[in-house]
Amino acid sequence: DPEMSRGLGDVYKRQEQKGNFKDEDAVGLHRTEHHSCCSGASCSFVQSAGRAYAEIKAVVQVYHSFFLFCRRRKRGSDMIRKVAVIMGSDSDWPVVKGACAQLKALDIPFEAHILSAHRTPAEAADFAKNARANGFGVILCAAGMAAHLAGAFAANTTLPVIGIPMKGGAMDGLDALLSTVQMPSGIPVATVALNGAKNAAVLAAQILAVEDGELAARLDQARTAMTAQIAEKEAKLQAELVQL
Ligand code: RP5
C-alpha cells in the first residue's frame, strides 16, 4: 500500500529526527546505506516494511477481536444470575412449584424460600437487601390475600420483582391481585395473572436473557416448540371438523 508506505516513511523520518532510532535499528542501518531513498514510497525497504506493518496490523486486529470476545464471554459468565422464588407460605407451594419447574426446564439457577412480609418481616427485608450481592438477578414473590410480599421486596431492592398473586381466600385472589399490582410510583412490581407462576418464571428468564445470548436462544427454542404444538392442534381440529 503506497499510502501506508509513505506514512510509514514519514513516521520513520520523524522518529529519526527525534533521535529515536539507534544505529543498530534496521531503519537506521537502512538509512546509513541508502540515505537518498529511505523516505519515499519507491524505496523497496519502505514498501516491504509497509507490507509487514499491514500484516502485523491484521494479526493484532485478530488477537484484539479474540481478546474482546474472551472478555465478553467472561463478563457473560459473571452475569449468570440466580432467580429467587419466594412464597409467603408453604400453602403457596403447589402453585409456585410451576415456576421452579419452568426455571429448571430453561436451565436457570434458582433458590426457593418461604418468607413472609408479615410473619418474617426482618428476614424478608434482609433477603431483599442482600439479593443482588448474593447473585440474584430477578425475584419472584408469590402471596395470597393481603399480598404485600412482592411490594415489601421491591421496597428493599432495585432488582426486578415479579409478583404472583395467589388465588384463594374470601375474595378468591382479587385481594391478592390488587395488593400486588397497585404499587406506589417509583417502586414497581411486575405482576402476572392469578397463580401465574409459569409466566413469572418465563418473564424472569426473559429479563436475564437480555444479557445472556444462550438463554435467549433457549427461549426462542421454547417459542418454536410452542408454535409447533399449536400447528399440531390446528391440524387435529381441522381433521375433526371434516368428520362432523
Ligand atoms: C399469604 O397468606 C400466603 O402467601 C398465603 O397465600 C396466604 C395464606 O397463608 P397460610 O395461612 O396458608 O400460611 O401470606
Side-chain angles (χ1 to χ4, degrees):
D1 181 348
E3 273 301 315
M4 194 180 284
S5 299
R6 254 194 301 282
L8 205 59
D10 291 339
V11 171
Y12 287 160
K13 204 171 178 184
R14 278 200 300 278
Q15 292 299 317
E16 192 188 42
Q17 279 163 0
K18 287 181 191 168
N20 287 347
F21 287 136
K22 305 281 181 286
D23 280 351
E24 62 271 27
D25 286 325
V27 176
L29 283 171
H30 173 69
R31 282 186 68 88
T32 310
E33 288 165 23
H34 310 282
H35 191 76
S36 61
C37 67
C38 58
S39 64
S42 60
C43 169
S44 65
F45 175 83
V46 171
Q47 283 180 344
S48 60
R51 278 195 295 277
Y53 171 77
E55 281 167 14
I56 290 166
K57 192 176 165 194
V59 170
V60 168
Q61 277 172 344
V62 168
Y63 274 98
H64 187 239
S65 302
F66 184 63
F67 165 74
L68 290 177
F69 169 75
C70 291
R71 197 171 64 175
R72 272 199 300 273
R73 290 280 301 182
K74 186 176 181 306
R75 278 190 184 159
S77 63
D78 285 345
M79 294 297 290
I80 293 174
R81 295 207 159 248
K82 295 177 287 184
V83 174
V85 182
I86 312 298
M87 65 209 93
S89 167
D90 62 338
S91 63
D92 300 321
W93 174 239
V95 170
V96 174
K97 198 192 283 187
C100 296
Q102 183 61 52
L103 291 169
K104 201 170 173 192
L106 288 167
D107 204 17
I108 296 171
F110 67 91
E111 287 181 22
H113 299 285
I114 299 167
L115 287 168
S116 167
H118 308 118
R119 294 164 176 158
T120 62
E123 289 80 358
D126 194 51
F127 190 102
K129 282 175 188 165
N130 295 303
R132 189 186 294 277
N134 287 334
F136 293 100
V138 185
I139 301 174
L140 310 190
C141 290
M145 300 196 288
H148 299 135
L149 186 63
F153 265 73
N156 283 299
T157 180
T158 53
L159 288 176
V161 175
I162 302 172
I164 308 168
M166 302 296 296
K167 261 173 91 72
M171 304 186 79
D172 205 20
L174 183 60
D175 43 2
L177 174 62
L178 297 178
S179 303
T180 305
V181 77
Q182 291 288 39
M183 289 295 293
S185 175
I187 312 290
V189 167
T191 306
V192 293
L194 286 170
N195 286 4
K198 181 177 171 177
N199 260 7
V202 173
L203 183 54
Q206 290 177 180
I207 291 168
L208 295 177
V210 170
E211 289 289 336
D212 185 338
E214 288 175 13
L215 177 54
R218 293 202 290 283
L219 283 167
D220 285 342
Q221 280 169 7
R223 285 276 173 104
T224 305
M226 209 185 298
T227 303
Q229 279 173 9
I230 296 299
E232 262 177 45
K233 287 174 184 174
E234 163 69 6
K236 207 173 152 197
L237 172 69
Q238 294 308 321
E240 275 190 38
L241 285 171
V242 171
Q243 300 301 320
L244 285 179

